[in-house]
Amino acid sequence: MTPSPWWRADIHADRRPRLLLRNRIVAAIRAWLVARDFVEIDPAALQISPGNETHLHAFSTEEIGIGSGRQALHLHTSPEFALKKLLAAGERQPFSLAHVYRNRERGPLHHPEFTMLEWYRAGEPYDAVMEDAVAFLRLAAELGRRPVATFRGRRCDMTAEPERLAVADAFRDLACIDLPATLSETGAPVAAAMRAACAAAGIRCAEDDTWSDMFSRVLVERIEPRLGEGRPTLLDRYPIPEAALARPTPDDPRLAERFELYVCGVELANGFGELTDPAEQRRRFEADMDEKARLYGESYPLDEDFIAALAAMPDASGVALGLDRLVMLAAGAERIADVIWTPVA
């Protein structure tokens, strides 16, 4: 195995200014949140369930107790379940700067261990946490003295007023696809309609692709590369099948209160108006785990404590933001490993 280059003094000296910027951004975000009465939470990384979304993959281990007791545990893919349990317990504005772990992911924008900033506002609409996410973007740009981010030939003024773009409008304008026509009146996905729409738009799909597979292909190929150009984009109002933990919008039950923040085609944050219906959350998780078992031959247990806590959880909105990606853009780096102090070999 070739030794990692990170520990050479000359390479570390080149990386160090970006790493120190990371420290300044973390300190500034923490101070911003504490000044607004958010409470920092330090969630346990080991969980019964690492998350129940189809395409999230965990690092797994086993707790060996005294005697013969053994229990499967997983490193969390997000602190979401822990923070929502604390919302149910009475916290109003929890936040976490947590290391999280995702398997089967490594590349310029992915790392098996990374830092996630996640925060919640009880009793507030998800417009409020959108504004928070934009504030962190501007804060990072100021500290990096780089208001205009560049990445893979794209440019974005991170201090500019964001564009707010509905997913259906993005599919119509950027991919020539009528997304609502691929959903039933109840919001259920209609794979045949999506397949026909993709074919008409010149997007190749496999015969066994699900509606979600095709949705993701359109998003990745036609839409994401054009988001956050010139100014940040808030991609908003996702279809219910693509928002497992979000509540429906009040004006259209087929759509969910979910948004993502993009800069230079890079997704930085994923936010929800949070679903608090335990029965609906269980149904969605079970459907996702059935699909995970079909695709990958594995699934994860449901966190029964989390599902039970939803019944007591207040209306809330929350966001998960990839801190490493934010620092990467603020520092002008090409990959998130360049702004992680000790990357995984």
Side-chain angles (χ1 to χ4, degrees):
M1 181 177 177
T2 304
S4 298
W6 311 112
W7 323 125
R8 280 175 38 188
D10 59 330
I11 290 178
H12 181 67
D14 288 341
R15 298 178 70 234
R16 193 168 185 269
R18 291 169 174 168
L19 298 170
L20 294 177
L21 173 60
R22 176 194 179 100
N23 285 7
R24 293 195 298 274
I25 290 173
V26 168
I29 288 173
R30 181 176 274 121
W32 191 98
L33 287 161
V34 170
R36 289 159 179 79
D37 297 323
F38 284 83
V39 174
E40 185 166 9
I41 304 303
D42 185 14
L46 285 171
Q47 301 287 337
I48 294 293
S49 174
N52 294 114
E53 295 178 58
T54 302
H55 301 293
L56 286 185
H57 304 283
F59 289 90
S60 301
T61 187
E62 185 178 54
E63 178 189 12
I64 302 174
I66 297 173
S68 59
R70 292 173 179 262
Q71 176 177 227
L73 291 172
H74 311 274
L75 291 173
H76 63 178
T77 58
S78 161
E80 182 169 7
F81 289 1
L83 293 177
K84 287 183 177 178
K85 289 173 190 175
L86 288 165
L87 281 170
E91 293 295 338
R92 300 291 293 177
Q93 294 189 159
F95 81 94
S96 170
L97 277 157
H99 282 223
V100 298
Y101 309 85
R102 295 187 181 182
N103 214 340
R104 306 193 191 198
E105 293 188 14
R106 190 191 283 264
L109 295 175
H110 297 88
H111 201 69
E113 178 179 355
F114 62 99
T115 301
M116 182 176 286
L117 168 65
E118 191 154 330
W119 72 98
Y120 291 84
R121 288 181 177 269
E124 296 197 44
Y126 80 140
D127 301 71
V129 290
M130 280 186 194
E131 292 172 6
D132 294 340
V134 172
F136 296 144
L137 187 60
R138 292 171 176 164
L139 187 61
E142 178 184 353
L143 290 168
R145 298 179 180 178
R146 188 185 298 269
V148 177
T150 59
F151 186 73
R152 295 178 179 173
R154 303 180 183 94
R155 296 169 59 84
C156 176
D157 182 351
M158 294 194 290
T159 67
E161 189 66 23
E163 166 195 29
R164 188 163 173 176
L165 178 65
V167 174
D169 292 343
F171 268 66
R172 181 195 64 212
D173 297 341
L174 303 178
C176 299
I177 288 176
D178 182 355
L179 185 62
T182 73
L183 299 169
S184 73
E185 291 183 0
T186 62
V190 181
M194 179 65 92
R195 184 169 287 105
C198 287
I203 298 169
R204 296 183 63 181
C205 298
E207 285 298 318
D208 60 348
D209 276 350
T210 65
W211 183 94
S212 287
D213 293 333
M214 292 180 277
F215 177 93
S216 296
R217 182 167 288 113
V218 175
L219 192 66
V220 169
E221 292 183 8
R222 298 287 179 90
I223 295 172
E224 281 188 334
R226 298 172 67 181
L227 300 180
E229 284 197 286
R231 59 176 174 153
T233 299
L234 291 162
L235 188 65
D236 188 21
R237 294 168 65 89
Y238 272 72
I240 284 286
E242 294 299 311
L245 291 112
R247 64 190 172 220
T249 60
D251 60 316
D252 190 339
R254 300 174 301 168
L255 304 178
E257 290 188 348
R258 177 190 175 191
F259 75 90
E260 290 187 303
L261 173 63
Y262 284 86
V263 168
C264 294
V266 176
E267 181 227 327
L268 283 179
N270 184 23
F272 302 143
E274 304 296 342
L275 180 67
T276 56
D277 180 337
E280 175 61 13
Q281 189 65 84
R282 181 184 296 279
R283 184 194 68 77
R284 293 186 191 182
F285 278 168
E286 288 176 346
D288 279 356
M289 288 303 91
D290 287 346
E291 182 66 2
K292 188 178 189 71
R294 184 185 74 83
L295 291 173
Y296 303 108
E298 63 179 5
S299 64
Y300 302 127
L302 272 57
D303 184 334
E304 294 295 343
D305 281 351
F306 168 67
I307 292 176
L310 286 179
M313 182 177 144
D315 285 344
S317 299
V319 184
L321 183 148
L323 180 84
D324 312 278
R325 291 185 181 183
L326 178 63
V327 176
M328 180 193 76
L329 291 168
E334 292 296 317
R335 52 184 179 166
I336 65 171
D338 292 334
V339 297
I340 293 175
W341 278 92
T342 58
V344 176

